[in-house]
Amino acid sequence: KKIVLLSVMAVMAFASSAFAEKKELVNGIDANYPPFAYIEKNDQATGFDIDAMNWIADKMGFKVVHKPMDWDGIVPSLMAKKIDMVASGMSITDERKEKVNFSNPYYTIKKYFVVKNNSKLTPDDIRSGKKKLGVQAGTNEAKWLEENAKANNWNYELRLYSSPGLAIEDVVNGRIDAAAIDSPPAEDAIKRTKKPIKIIGEFTNSDQFGVAVRKEDKELLETINKGYELLMEDPYWVTLHKKYFNA
Ligand code: ARG
């Protein structure tokens, strides 16, 4: 009962706000990041983030459309009001928090080194053996790998990619020795698309995904937090995990 009441209050607060007058909110997505957001055969964007935000929009009484764009420019697009939120596998980082606000975390990921499945490389080989290491541009892992290489005298040669999938492809065809990838796209490549790669270890701590909104959009943030709270208590949360993570 309490939940119902709270959600009614949230919907009322939402309905009176400026953004409710907008017909629909735009969620900027990187559609090359399975299983959180990716394009399926029919050209439709799909994924955990998309289903989750559609459910929340429905519950909380707003409309949302998902707009595929380059990951590298996604925070600038949010700040320039080309989009209203980023619910698309975005790690909550202190650096991003200076520019945007994040919802409460909704998913925890790990950071993996992956290599071809017949490779004998170890994480130490990658850090100190002059290896070619692929990583997605504009990610917190790319930044971490650059900064920590300097600090620790690691000598991998970073190659920047526009998506984790392209880095994985180059691991498979041998153009690079390894890739540094978030656990969701790494596990998806192994389980769903059956790429001949393997995970050989974590290269840094896990981090958490949150939905990013502009700092001034306080009510939107509350609405999203409330929506996620309701979703996490709903059987659909389990359904989503089964559908996208086989869990
Ligand atoms: N976790 C990394 C970050 O937030 C990778 C993000 C890539 N996510 C995506 N949807 N393309 O920087």
Side-chain angles (χ1 to χ4, degrees):
K1 255 207 197 121
K2 198 173 134 210
I3 291 163
V4 173
L5 189 67
L6 280 175
S7 72
V8 167
M9 279 160 57
V11 170
M12 277 163 51
F14 182 83
S16 65
S17 73
F19 63 83
E21 284 152 28
K22 276 194 168 185
K23 274 217 171 51
E24 49 192 20
L25 299 176
V26 182
N27 175 30
I29 57 164
D30 170 8
N32 297 297
Y33 192 83
F36 280 85
Y38 57 105
I39 304 288
E40 276 202 318
K41 290 176 204 89
N42 54 9
D43 277 358
Q44 278 282 22
T46 185
F48 184 94
D49 278 323
I50 287 156
D51 286 359
M53 194 46 70
N54 285 344
W55 190 95
I56 289 169
D58 198 48
K59 254 299 185 267
M60 302 305 289
F62 63 94
K63 286 211 178 76
V64 64
V65 290
H66 306 277
K67 185 176 175 191
M69 50 202 307
D70 285 342
W71 179 252
D72 229 355
I74 212 159
V75 170
S77 294
L78 178 61
M79 298 181 75
K81 303 195 172 184
K82 289 183 184 139
I83 55 178
D84 302 296
M85 66 175 90
V86 181
S88 183
M90 180 171 276
S91 302
I92 300 172
T93 66
D94 289 340
E95 197 196 358
R96 289 180 180 140
K97 273 192 203 159
E98 286 173 13
K99 299 181 182 151
V100 299
N101 276 345
F102 280 101
S103 71
N104 296 325
Y106 63 86
Y107 198 82
T108 301
I109 59 158
K110 291 181 173 165
K111 304 273 175 182
Y112 289 144
F113 279 141
V114 303
V115 296
K116 208 164 169 173
N117 58 8
N118 59 5
S119 164
K120 296 204 165 59
L121 288 180
T122 65
D124 273 342
D125 295 335
I126 294 169
R127 284 185 282 259
S128 53
K130 297 208 158 114
K131 299 299 175 206
K132 294 187 191 107
L133 178 61
V135 66
Q136 185 179 9
T139 59
N140 60 328
E141 55 270 19
K143 194 150 194 273
W144 189 92
L145 289 164
E146 265 166 35
E147 289 174 355
N148 284 275
K150 279 195 207 111
N152 300 294
N153 280 321
W154 293 333
N155 58 14
Y156 41 69
E157 184 188 314
L158 281 187
R159 298 281 168 96
L160 296 178
Y161 290 85
S162 61
S163 73
L166 290 175
I168 288 172
E169 252 173 54
D170 272 5
V171 167
V172 172
N173 66 34
R175 247 180 241 134
I176 57 176
D177 301 294
I181 309 255
D182 288 346
S183 49
E187 280 158 0
D188 185 82
I190 292 167
K191 282 197 234 157
R192 187 177 60 94
T193 54
K194 309 255 184 283
K195 301 287 185 221
I197 57 164
K198 65 180 177 188
I199 292 163
I200 57 166
E202 292 174 46
F203 61 90
T204 182
N205 304 330
S206 56
D207 59 20
Q208 293 185 303
F209 287 165
V211 180
V213 301
R214 279 183 292 279
K215 293 221 174 196
E216 66 265 29
D217 285 343
K218 299 258 186 307
E219 291 175 81
L220 176 56
L221 190 64
E222 267 175 42
T223 305
I224 290 169
N225 276 334
K226 189 69 224 171
Y228 250 111
E229 209 180 305
L230 295 174
L231 173 55
M232 286 174 178
E233 288 162 351
D234 195 277
Y236 189 58
W237 185 242
V238 178
T239 307
L240 275 184
H241 282 73
K242 284 210 183 99
K243 180 170 173 193
Y244 290 110
F245 308 118
N246 239 325

